Amino acid sequence: MTKKIWNNGYVTTEVSEVNVFEANTCEENRIKWVTDLAAISRGKYESKRPEARYRALMREAALGTPSRPFEFLPVILNVLFDKDEVRLYNPNDQQFIMSFEHSYFHNSFGGSMGFVLDEKLYTNMRACIIAGMPYDLIPYNTPEDVKEGKFFAIRGKAPMFAWAQVPNTHTFLSKEAQSDRYAPKFDYWLPDDFIKRAKEYCAEYKYNKAVTTEQIKIGPHICLMTTMQSDGERIDFMKSISQDQVQLLFKELGYKAEIYTRALYYFKYKEFIATGWGINPKVWTHLFNERNANKDVWKNGTQKETEVLVNAIKQIYDAKFN
């Protein structure tokens, strides 16, 4: 399912050729899933050499540990809390895998790295390997179990300032964004009412002879942009003037500081991936509550553009699980 937002943004569950609930059903799917989602950093949808890429990602992070895309691979284990240790089992055949001291288990699988409910640990491949679990012992999982845990993955495209509030605040999500090096140079967001405001401003500017200092500085630029045929032309023009002028332009058009202070660089679109277990209330439910997508539960002062993005995510989430 895909939902379009703004002039050139979107949110979709089409993140890989592998179905999200089958990401951890076999080795072939593991490799394809991880490398497809890892390709987001280059703005791609898949890796050219997935097996080699998978091996590289397995040791890419600090001290030869798995890189962040391995957080996108869901893993479910059975867990038993004994007095002296925590024991993990393969949920498919109940075979013992390994045990941990309580403190080590909570440090390894607590917070964003795991969630325990009904003697099941909902975690990810990266957490398992960093905790010291041998790769060959990490179990595959059935689609039914992964769906029951409401594992959810999205790919999206949003202005940098709208997306930035998500990774900065919602740390229980696993996420990755397109590198600035690979983001299109001319793909920028503009407010939906930009032209309307510009035309109204220009009409007043031409009629009112007692113009302000700000109008003298920026008025001709605003009027010029009303004659341009596309947002692409307007973006090119704004890139040709100084950042101070661009910010003054948006300020003169009546936009709030949360908009004009971010012009123009943070208007750039970037693609991103986000995944997480819906069964954990600190993941997707927290995002929806905090960003005004569950207004019957909680309402706050979320910026409009971030609210639009999160509401689009929630609509797709609800369509998948409700």
Side-chain angles (χ1 to χ4, degrees):
M1 181 179 180
T2 299
K3 184 172 179 59
K4 296 287 291 183
I5 45 179
W6 304 300
N7 59 320
N8 202 24
Y10 70 87
V11 177
T12 184
T13 54
E14 297 173 9
V15 300
S16 171
E17 293 179 2
V18 176
N19 183 284
V20 61
F21 302 136
E22 298 176 356
N24 191 28
T25 55
C26 63
E27 196 65 16
E28 181 181 358
N29 283 6
R30 282 179 173 179
I31 294 170
K32 179 65 173 169
W33 177 263
V34 169
T35 55
D36 280 357
L37 273 63
I40 189 70
S41 64
R42 295 178 172 86
K44 305 292 185 181
Y45 285 85
E46 61 181 358
S47 299
K48 291 183 178 180
R49 301 171 58 226
E51 291 82 5
R53 181 66 174 147
Y54 190 81
R55 291 193 296 270
L57 289 168
M58 181 69 77
R59 57 181 185 276
E60 188 176 73
L63 305 178
T65 57
S67 187
R68 187 181 305 173
F70 278 89
E71 290 183 22
F72 303 149
L73 184 58
V75 175
I76 303 172
L77 301 115
N78 284 3
V79 59
L80 177 64
F81 292 91
D82 286 340
K83 179 180 178 181
D84 299 320
E85 63 183 10
V86 181
R87 300 168 63 86
L88 297 178
Y89 297 84
N90 187 317
N92 304 310
D93 56 16
Q94 302 305 313
Q95 289 294 310
F96 172 73
I97 296 177
M98 65 187 306
S99 62
F100 301 92
E101 294 181 353
H102 282 267
S103 59
Y104 188 85
F105 174 84
H106 290 295
N107 289 337
S108 299
F109 296 105
S112 61
M113 290 296 102
F115 179 71
V116 175
L117 181 67
D118 296 333
E119 298 183 340
K120 287 185 178 181
L121 169 63
Y122 297 90
T123 185
N124 61 69
M125 180 64 76
R126 189 185 193 195
C128 290
I129 295 174
I130 292 176
M133 196 176 300
Y135 183 85
D136 292 344
L137 295 182
I138 300 173
Y140 299 119
N141 295 125
T142 67
E144 293 77 17
D145 284 347
V146 176
K147 185 175 183 178
E148 182 181 17
K150 295 185 176 181
F151 189 78
F152 185 57
I154 57 165
R155 182 180 179 123
K157 182 178 179 181
M160 289 172 61
F161 73 88
W163 166 246
Q165 296 185 41
V166 177
N168 289 345
T169 305
H170 304 281
T171 56
F172 278 66
L173 287 168
S174 296
K175 55 266 180 184
E176 185 78 78
Q178 185 179 22
S179 169
D180 280 358
R181 293 178 296 163
Y182 297 98
K185 295 181 180 180
F186 303 103
D187 197 5
Y188 286 77
W189 168 89
L190 283 179
D192 293 337
D193 62 350
F194 178 81
I195 290 301
K196 178 177 180 293
R197 291 196 187 199
K199 288 181 177 179
E200 291 174 352
Y201 182 97
C202 190
E204 181 180 346
Y205 169 78
K206 290 180 177 180
Y207 177 78
N208 187 354
K209 296 181 180 179
V211 293
T212 65
T213 302
E214 287 75 16
Q215 287 175 323
I216 292 172
K217 288 181 179 179
I218 211 67
H221 291 337
I222 295 175
C223 292
L224 176 61
M225 284 193 292
T226 64
T227 68
M228 296 177 180
Q229 300 302 308
S230 69
D231 284 347
E233 286 185 71
R234 297 177 186 102
I235 292 296
D236 286 345
F237 175 74
M238 283 188 271
K239 292 178 71 173
S240 72
I241 62 179
S242 71
Q243 179 175 322
D244 287 345
Q245 287 177 305
V246 174
Q247 292 185 349
L248 177 59
L249 186 155
F250 281 93
K251 185 177 182 179
E252 276 294 290
L253 290 179
Y255 290 102
K256 296 179 179 179
E258 63 190 19
I259 295 296
Y260 71 73
T261 58
R262 287 157 170 162
L264 182 66
Y265 179 75
Y266 288 99
F267 286 6
K268 183 186 290 187
Y269 275 107
K270 289 187 74 171
E271 292 187 289
F272 61 87
I273 291 285
T275 70
W277 291 102
I279 200 169
N280 184 349
K282 294 183 178 180
V283 184
W284 296 108
T285 299
H286 178 262
L287 173 69
F288 301 150
N289 289 344
E290 186 74 15
R291 298 297 170 184
N292 280 349
N294 275 335
K295 291 184 179 179
D296 56 331
V297 175
W298 184 253
K299 184 176 181 180
N300 62 19
T302 296
Q303 184 170 342
K304 174 186 173 183
E305 289 73 25
T306 300
E307 183 177 331
V308 168
L309 171 62
V310 175
N311 270 275
I313 296 172
K314 184 177 185 297
Q315 289 175 29
I316 294 177
Y317 181 91
D318 288 344
K320 196 170 192 69
F321 294 111
N322 297 333

